[in-house]
């Protein structure tokens, strides 16, 4: 997988998470603080991916779904977007695994 799709998805997630919450989002369990925390978490992944490439995702991959479950956020628009971003990072990580596991040369 190339790096463009994950970066576009993360860009979209950050943009949506920066926007004010709708009443429906609040009904699903989102708060302004929670939205800000997720926006920050997703924002951290973008520059690292741009700078270091796809093999970085194994270190960046947050457990966003578990976090959403713990705080009781229901399914809908924002959770779907966050879940898609996490799945994309997992896919990039699994696609890049063979490269990351290749032996390193020491001089």
């Amino acid at each position: 997988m190339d790096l463009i799709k994950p970066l576009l998805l993360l860009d979209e997630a950050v943009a949506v998470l920066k926007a004010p919450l709708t009443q429906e989002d609040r009904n699903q369990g989102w708060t302004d603080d929670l939205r800000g925390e997720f926006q920050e978490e997703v924002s951290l992944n973008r520059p690292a991916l741009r700078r270091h490439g796809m093999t970085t995702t194994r270190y960046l991959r947050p457990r966003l779904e578990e976090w959403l479950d713990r705080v009781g956020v229901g399914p809908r628009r924002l959770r779907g977007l966050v879940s898609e971003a996490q799945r994309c990072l997992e896919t990039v990580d699994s696609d890049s695994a063979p490269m990351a596991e290749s032996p390193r040369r020491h001089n």
Side-chain angles (χ1 to χ4, degrees), residues 44-87:
L44 292 174
N45 292 326
R46 294 183 311 160
L49 279 173
R50 282 188 177 100
R51 272 187 243 119
H52 305 293
M54 294 186 292
T55 57
T56 307
T57 60
R58 75 179 67 254
Y59 305 105
L60 298 175
R61 191 175 46 187
R63 299 203 182 285
L64 301 176
E65 281 290 324
E66 292 173 18
W67 186 4
L68 289 168
D69 287 340
R70 257 193 329 272
V71 296
V73 171
R76 289 282 187 212
R77 177 181 78 99
L78 287 180
R79 181 163 181 157
L81 184 61
V82 167
S83 296
E84 188 176 348
Q86 178 174 322
R87 279 191 302 279

